[in-house]
Amino acid sequence: MTEAATTNFATSADGTRIAFDREGAGPPVVLIGGAMQYRAPGSQTAELARQLASHGFEVVEYDRRGRGDSPADPPITLAQTLDDLRAVIGELTEGADDAVALFGNSSGGAIALAAAAAGLPVSRIVVFEVPLDDELGTNAAEDLAALRTALDEGGSEAGIAQFMSGMPPEWFENLRQSPEWERARTIGPSLVPDLEVLAWTQSAARSALWAGIAQPVLALVGSEAFPFMRDAADSMVANLPHAEQRAIEASDHRWEPRVLALAIAGFLVDGPR
């Protein structure tokens, strides 16, 4: 049995309250959601937290700024996102020098790397299918500019539509028709850090950009991953000082909580191969 999730709040540097759930007991692991993720009962991420807690960890899932129970006025930036994560980590370590492990899903994995590069107290990092594009490319910066324009001219829903414009069109329509839309439709401004952090990964040679990330990193990819996701994991292994890649049973950028929890726990307990 694991301890049930309880909701808490951390106060970020600018006074914004960040909601987070804690579940289980043991070494802390913070889950960083990707572009469209937020805390929701019964979600895949909530089940991942439960499964990972059963392996002997205290698992924290939080609402990123501008999502769910962490409301914030735009503009929302990557720097604020890192401040928020620092505040959550501070609540877990209670001011001690302890470090926490991070799991980042999709663009949340890039946020985990940015957190380590910024010197946050991080022990190990696991990421799943970080959508990196070409090293030194400009597409993420271009997408970021288009997103900001859409938000300025059309608001949150226009921003979400712009963000998802490169995805299969049915994904956006399915979201709009789902019960989640009423809650999800407000998170457009919070998508800016997802593209800002991907632009950061293209802003310099990655070997230099990531040279200070000394933590062990595990890059997970699905067994039926999109080819560019495998290329992204290869780039992390090639340019991070201590990174390795492993495949898990997963397809279409989606994972099964039990399988993913086992992979995360194995790396955090046993370490790199």
Side-chain angles (χ1 to χ4, degrees):
M1 297 290 290
T2 63
E3 296 180 14
T6 57
T7 299
N8 304 264
F9 292 89
T11 302
S12 194
D14 66 354
T16 300
R17 292 213 314 166
I18 304 300
F20 66 97
D21 291 338
R22 308 172 77 152
E23 182 162 0
V29 184
V30 179
L31 309 183
I32 306 175
M36 301 298 295
Q37 288 183 296
Y38 49 84
R39 289 161 56 249
S43 69
Q44 271 198 319
T45 308
E47 178 61 17
L48 172 63
R50 189 184 72 82
Q51 292 281 346
L52 189 53
S54 74
H55 290 287
F57 296 95
E58 179 183 20
V59 186
V60 171
E61 180 188 6
Y62 71 104
D63 275 332
R64 283 177 43 194
R65 177 181 293 246
R67 303 180 184 182
D69 295 320
S70 301
D73 294 329
I76 295 174
T77 68
L78 176 60
Q80 291 171 327
T81 298
L82 297 181
D83 282 343
D84 300 342
L85 181 55
R86 189 187 298 275
V88 171
I89 292 173
E91 290 292 321
L92 301 178
T93 59
E94 297 180 345
D97 292 331
D98 299 336
V100 307
L102 300 179
F103 167 71
N105 181 57
S106 192
S107 52
I111 292 173
L113 295 179
L120 272 66
V122 176
S123 57
R124 291 182 181 176
I125 299 170
V126 182
V127 300
F128 177 80
E129 293 191 355
V130 182
L132 304 179
D133 216 317
D134 295 338
E135 185 175 7
L136 298 176
T138 61
N139 59 296
E142 292 163 3
D143 291 343
L144 176 59
L147 173 60
R148 286 174 168 154
T149 297
L151 290 168
D152 289 344
E153 296 180 352
S156 179
E157 293 184 27
I160 295 171
Q162 173 61 41
F163 185 89
M164 298 183 71
S165 62
M167 304 176 189
E170 63 270 19
W171 288 14
F172 179 60
E173 191 55 36
N174 289 343
L175 175 62
R176 289 189 62 185
Q177 299 302 322
S178 75
E180 289 298 308
W181 176 244
E182 192 57 34
R183 192 177 187 195
R185 62 194 290 269
T186 65
I187 72 170
S190 76
L191 297 172
V192 169
D194 294 276
L195 289 181
E196 194 177 350
V197 76
L198 293 178
W200 169 74
T201 68
Q202 295 182 304
S203 64
R206 287 175 181 157
S207 59
L209 195 66
W210 296 340
I213 302 177
Q215 296 88 342
V217 177
L218 174 63
L220 295 172
V221 293
S223 53
E224 299 179 45
F226 299 120
F228 83 95
M229 293 295 188
R230 295 193 187 94
D231 294 341
D234 289 342
S235 181
M236 284 186 277
V237 172
N239 291 291
L240 285 161
H242 306 288
E244 63 183 80
Q245 178 182 165
R246 298 181 195 172
I248 61 172
E249 288 296 322
S251 62
D252 297 328
H253 202 43
R254 301 172 186 271
W255 35 262
E256 196 280 316
R258 181 187 59 81
V259 172
L260 181 57
L262 189 60
I264 296 170
F267 182 72
L268 298 184
V269 172
D270 299 330
R273 288 177 178 170

